Each structure stands twice: as structure tokens, then as C-alpha cells.
Amino acid sequence: EYTSSCTLKMLPALTTNGIPMISYSATSPKLSNKSLYPYFFRTVPSDLYQGRALAQLVHRYGWSKVCVIATTDVYSSGLATAFEEALPSMGNVTSFRVDVGESSSYDTIYDGVSQLKDNGCAVTILSW
């Protein structure tokens, strides 16, 4: 499956029947649990590693304010959360986040992005 959310829905049936699944894009940290998903393999790192790498990048360039715009699906929110959880270990970095869901109105998105702009972020990370 292409997404983490679809993969998580399909894995119980596959695991019960001993059928392996290999994904090239499912990155949810939940999928790293080998006791739950012994037949799941992926070719990309989990969100935990990608989030840490993004946080290291922010630290490397000395950015002190980072804006995060994320959709509310499993992939996007997982990556955004992993990134935000890794930030405290990187020093004095403040992050501001806007979550965009399928039912978000244009006004809600506009207001959220306007708040990010007002916070003077050095960089914006899109997790879409």
C-alpha cells in the first residue's frame, strides 16, 4: 500500500495469514513494532528517523523559529509530531504548527497560515 493509513488497515489480515507486505512509502512509527507486524517491511525510514533528520537540519542551519503545516492523515501528522518531539534536543527552537484536515475550510487554513506568518518563522516545513 502507498500510505501508512491503508497499510495499517490491511496488515492485520495479512499478518494473520502470514503474508508479507513491503511498502515503499508507509512511514508510520507504529509499523516498526515487529511483535504486531512481523511480516511488514519497508524501503524508507520511519517518521521517527525522518523527524530527527529534519530537526538536525534545523539545528545545523541555526533556525530558531520553524513553522509546520501538516495534514491530519497518519503520514503527515506522524512526521510532524516526530519532528516536533526531536526539536528540544536540538537547542532553542520554537515551532508553530497548523493542522489541515479534509474538512478544513479555506478560512481556517488561511487563519492558520496567517498566524504562522505573524510568528516570523525562518522556515516552513510542509508535511503533506
Side-chain angles (χ1 to χ4, degrees):
E1 284 299 322
Y2 175 68
T3 65
S4 294
S5 55
C6 289
T7 300
L8 286 164
K9 289 176 185 172
M10 289 191 66
L11 270 177
L14 295 174
T15 299
T16 300
N17 292 292
I19 299 171
M21 178 184 236
I22 301 172
S23 175
Y24 64 93
S25 63
T27 58
S28 173
K30 293 177 185 178
L31 296 167
S32 297
N33 186 336
K34 285 298 178 188
S35 63
L36 287 177
Y37 310 115
Y39 301 106
F40 175 74
F41 305 93
R42 61 175 142 219
T43 60
V44 295
S46 81
D47 292 336
L48 293 177
Y49 294 109
Q50 292 183 53
R52 287 182 199 147
L54 279 171
Q56 290 171 351
L57 186 71
V58 166
H59 177 70
R60 163 71 175 86
Y61 286 101
W63 296 323
S64 60
K65 288 186 179 181
V66 179
C67 296
V68 178
I69 301 174
T71 57
T72 55
D73 63 12
V74 174
Y75 167 72
S76 181
S77 62
L79 178 58
T81 300
F83 167 70
E84 291 170 331
E85 288 175 352
L87 278 179
S89 65
M90 298 296 144
N92 190 19
V93 179
T94 305
S95 70
F96 304 94
R97 179 171 169 178
V98 172
D99 287 315
V100 179
E102 286 183 27
S103 61
S104 296
S105 70
Y106 173 80
D107 290 336
T108 302
I109 297 168
Y110 181 83
D111 290 344
V113 173
S114 294
Q115 288 175 6
L116 295 181
K117 181 182 173 193
D118 294 343
N119 282 309
C121 294
V123 67
T124 300
I125 295 175
L126 296 173
S127 179
W128 213 258

